[in-house]
Amino acid sequence: MSNDNNSSAMEIDDQINTPKFTVNVLQLLKSAQMQHGLRFGDYARYRRYCTARLRRLYKSLKFTHGRGKYTKKSMSISTVTEVRFLHVILYTAERAWSHAMEKKTLPDGPNARQRTYLIGRLRKSVKWASLFQELCAIKGDSRTSLEAEVYFIAILFPWSYCFLELPSYMKGNLLFEQDKNWDVALKCFKSARAVYEELGKYGDMENQILCRERVEELEPSIRYCLHKIGESNLQASELVQIGEMEGPALDLFKAKLEAAMTEARSQQAASMTEFHWLGHRFPISNAKTRVSILKAQELEKDVTGPKAESLPTEKRLAVFDKIFAAYNDARSCIRSDLVNAGSENLKDDLSGLDKAIGAILGQRTIERNQLLVSIAKSKLNKTRDDKNEKITKPEELVRLYDLLLQNTADLSDLISSGRDRKPEEVAFAEECELRSLVFRAERCFYVAKSYSFAGKRTEAYALYTHACSSADAALKKIQSSNFTDQVVIKDVKTLHDESRASSCIEHAEGVIEEEKAPENLSKKISTISLTGNNKEVGKLLLEKLDCYDSNTRAAPRIDVFPPAFQSVPRNPIVLDLAYNLIEFPSLENKMKKDKKGFISRLWR
């Protein structure tokens, strides 16, 4: 018994006296992930990198598993004699995790067999991560142990693996992926959030920021678990907002969120039997069509509701893209039903529904292009303080207004294509015509601005005057109609005032340039020298080939351009004029005569 106590005491002393290894876990794996595929979500590339890295480590450590027949070597405390053994365990966990993520992010999603394999790889990553934590606690120094914990908190969202101190994440992930025991998963995620909040109070500022980010990324998991348990009555729109949160967890989270949102929309769409548009009511019998329309209507609240102004521009553009995709899905379902429709009444209803969805798509397209116009206008008058920010040119706004005019014309043609039009359709067509007049006036204004930037005062003045008259005509038509969009009316008034002011400015600048034209011409002529003795700044490049010039910022002057005038001798003008009046003596008597034979004399 005493011998056993002595041996155990000796082992403890050896562990205490052995040197502690240092592994910069955070920096090591963060750089590896960013350089080898995870910057773009390429998990297959990162898995191949981990495999190659492990092969190099095994070979350099001479820790291979035999030749020919595979003989597994276990990794224990006595095996870890240098820091690279810890790298082996860490990259093995990384390889298992990246392989699982690769299967999870397949284009069509994992099938049943791939899903079973995915969960197995997640379990493997948990196993190797736990072993890594145990060995770091014994073989690593305090900084390595802390950085290892921070790595699993900050660099990779631990859906698939975790330390023994944080078993809640590992359990929560596996339960989440297996789609069962949501109450246990909720407790695990809440426990992990508490750990992250506590760890975020210590360390440097970077560590605190990363811990706070991971706490925020835990919220979708907790809210989704509450939704599955039934303690939170989340609507489909709220699930959309959860899915829009950014973070590494979303790679595993989006598929389940999409399924939950589809289920919630299906329940809401069961009561949706008709689609109302401009006084028409179109019945909807296809469930997929109802779900797609309901999805688009929920997304429209983000761009037309009260929270639209607070939403960033990039996200609003992304929401418009999702709206277009949802309505296009609805139109594809409608057209497939139209092909299989039997009765004429059903065909008329489906055709009217397709026309209504197409008109709404045209409206949203106009709204999206108007958003692009507002973005371009905000960058038009900016100074070039930020070199990375692109300044808008007037030509770009002209192109956007061309698109708006085309969109308005297409929408007006679609509305006017029916035979029996409702009063709402007539009013909508008149509104499209008024908007077209406004867009034409705006386009003319920015065409004039492009001419103004080019220095063409006459053309700019004429176009500004035309834009002013077009805005005035559009404003009169708007005031005489039932148009109630106060934003458009305010924009037209602003356009009228700006066009009037710009035309006056162009007229004044044109007069000033015309008055100064003779003076500027005389100044330019006065600087011309026939001898070429103009003052030169510095020497020419050909004159200083044998010396080094330290002033590399200035552009090199190779030769004088334009070249100086030189005097060239001319022929006397008198000889040129008197050439036709000079009578030269005859030279026939001095010319040699040809001798002719007898036969040639006969033919004279």
Side-chain angles (χ1 to χ4, degrees), residues 343-400:
S343 62
E344 291 296 329
N345 293 331
L346 182 59
K347 286 184 178 180
D348 291 341
D349 291 337
L350 290 173
S351 298
L353 182 60
D354 182 66
K355 175 183 174 181
I357 299 298
I360 293 175
L361 270 173
Q363 286 181 266
R364 300 298 169 258
T365 304
I366 291 174
E367 291 174 2
R368 181 182 181 275
N369 289 336
Q370 286 180 316
L371 179 60
L372 293 176
V373 166
S374 63
I375 297 171
K377 284 181 179 180
S378 65
K379 297 180 180 180
L380 180 65
N381 299 322
K382 283 188 176 181
T383 58
R384 297 182 180 270
D385 296 336
D386 188 3
K387 295 182 180 179
N388 296 326
E389 188 175 4
K390 185 179 179 182
I391 305 299
T392 304
K393 296 180 180 179
E395 291 81 1
E396 298 178 14
L397 280 163
V398 172
R399 180 182 60 82
L400 289 174

Side-chain angles (χ1 to χ4, degrees), residues 9-135:
M10 290 176 63
E11 290 179 0
I12 293 173
D13 292 338
D14 291 339
Q15 292 178 7
I16 294 173
N17 295 327
T18 53
K20 299 293 185 178
F21 300 125
T22 300
V23 182
N24 194 350
V25 182
L26 290 173
Q27 189 63 32
L28 177 69
L29 289 184
K30 184 176 181 180
S31 60
Q33 290 169 4
M34 292 298 103
Q35 294 175 11
H36 299 282
L38 288 197
R39 184 188 296 271
F40 308 104
D42 191 352
Y43 293 99
R45 179 184 167 191
Y46 184 60
R47 177 180 61 83
R48 291 193 296 268
Y49 165 74
C50 292
T51 303
R53 178 65 177 157
L54 284 171
R55 188 183 300 114
R56 291 194 296 269
L57 287 171
Y58 281 130
K59 200 169 184 180
S60 63
L61 290 170
K62 297 182 181 179
F63 194 70
T64 55
H65 301 283
R67 277 190 167 183
K69 185 178 179 181
Y70 177 81
T71 305
K72 183 179 179 181
K73 290 186 179 181
S74 61
M75 190 76 69
S76 60
I77 298 174
S78 59
T79 308
V80 181
T81 57
E82 59 175 294
V83 69
R84 286 182 292 174
F85 284 100
L86 296 177
H87 289 188
V88 170
I89 304 171
L90 186 59
Y91 279 107
T92 306
E94 286 286 292
R95 180 176 62 176
W97 171 79
S98 58
H99 201 177
M101 294 297 293
E102 178 186 354
K103 297 297 182 184
K104 185 67 179 178
T105 55
L106 290 173
D108 298 330
N111 54 29
R113 185 175 179 180
Q114 291 170 341
R115 179 178 172 78
T116 304
Y117 182 76
L118 182 152
I119 294 175
R121 296 304 292 169
L122 288 179
R123 287 197 181 100
K124 283 284 187 182
S125 65
V126 171
K127 171 189 170 183
W128 285 104
S130 301
L131 179 60
F132 181 74
Q133 188 274 334
E134 292 176 4
L135 296 178

Side-chain angles (χ1 to χ4, degrees), residues 25 101 117 130 188 199 230 297 307 320 414 449 484 497 509 524 550 557 578:
V25 182
M101 294 297 293
Y117 182 76
S130 301
C188 294
L199 287 174
Q297 289 177 348
K307 297 181 180 180
F320 273 115
L414 183 64
K449 192 174 283 292
T484 58
D497 296 339
E509 290 183 353
K524 292 179 180 179
S550 60
R557 299 179 65 251

Side-chain angles (χ1 to χ4, degrees), residues 286-521:
N286 194 331
K288 292 183 178 180
T289 306
R290 289 198 297 264
V291 170
S292 299
I293 293 175
L294 187 62
K295 179 181 178 181
Q297 289 177 348
E298 289 171 355
L299 291 169
E300 285 176 345
K301 296 177 183 178
D302 295 334
V303 294
T304 58
K307 297 181 180 180
E309 297 297 331
S310 60
L311 197 66
T313 306
E314 293 78 8
K315 290 188 176 181
R316 290 174 67 184
L317 293 174
V319 171
F320 273 115
D321 294 338
K322 294 178 182 178
I323 291 172
F324 296 152
Y327 276 128
N328 285 324
D329 291 341
R331 293 191 78 180
S332 63
C333 294
I334 292 169
R335 290 177 180 179
S336 62
D337 293 341
L338 188 60
V339 173
N340 301 323
S343 62
E344 291 296 329
N345 293 331
L346 182 59
K347 286 184 178 180
D348 291 341
D349 291 337
L350 290 173
S351 298
L353 182 60
D354 182 66
K355 175 183 174 181
I357 299 298
I360 293 175
L361 270 173
Q363 286 181 266
R364 300 298 169 258
T365 304
I366 291 174
E367 291 174 2
R368 181 182 181 275
N369 289 336
Q370 286 180 316
L371 179 60
L372 293 176
V373 166
S374 63
I375 297 171
K377 284 181 179 180
S378 65
K379 297 180 180 180
L380 180 65
N381 299 322
K382 283 188 176 181
T383 58
R384 297 182 180 270
D385 296 336
D386 188 3
K387 295 182 180 179
N388 296 326
E389 188 175 4
K390 185 179 179 182
I391 305 299
T392 304
K393 296 180 180 179
E395 291 81 1
E396 298 178 14
L397 280 163
V398 172
R399 180 182 60 82
L400 289 174
Y401 277 110
D402 285 334
L403 289 175
L404 282 170
L405 287 170
Q406 184 63 42
N407 298 145
T408 309
D410 294 341
L411 182 59
S412 179
D413 293 340
L414 183 64
I415 298 298
S416 304
S417 60
R419 288 172 293 180
D420 299 330
R421 293 199 297 168
K422 299 273 185 181
E424 292 86 351
E425 291 181 279
V426 176
F428 189 79
E430 292 177 356
E431 181 181 346
C432 289
E433 184 180 356
L434 292 175
R435 290 184 182 275
S436 179
L437 291 175
V438 176
F439 293 153
R440 288 184 185 281
E442 292 271 3
R443 181 186 180 278
C444 183
F445 176 80
Y446 287 104
V447 171
K449 192 174 283 292
S450 65
Y451 275 101
S452 176
F453 286 176
K456 298 181 179 180
R457 305 300 177 190
T458 306
E459 293 85 349
Y461 173 75
L463 288 169
Y464 276 131
T465 305
H466 182 67
C468 182
S469 60
S470 300
D472 191 17
L475 187 60
K476 289 180 180 179
K477 281 194 174 183
I478 288 174
Q479 291 174 351
S480 61
S481 63
N482 296 325
F483 193 77
T484 58
D485 194 342
Q486 297 299 323
V487 176
V488 176
I489 295 174
K490 182 179 178 181
D491 291 341
V492 174
K493 291 180 179 179
T494 305
L495 175 65
H496 178 272
D497 296 339
E498 289 183 356
S499 300
R500 175 62 179 165
S502 299
S503 63
C504 296
I505 292 172
E506 292 298 324
H507 183 267
E509 290 183 353
V511 171
I512 292 172
E513 289 180 1
E514 186 177 357
E515 292 292 332
K516 290 185 176 181
E519 182 180 354
N520 294 333
L521 181 61

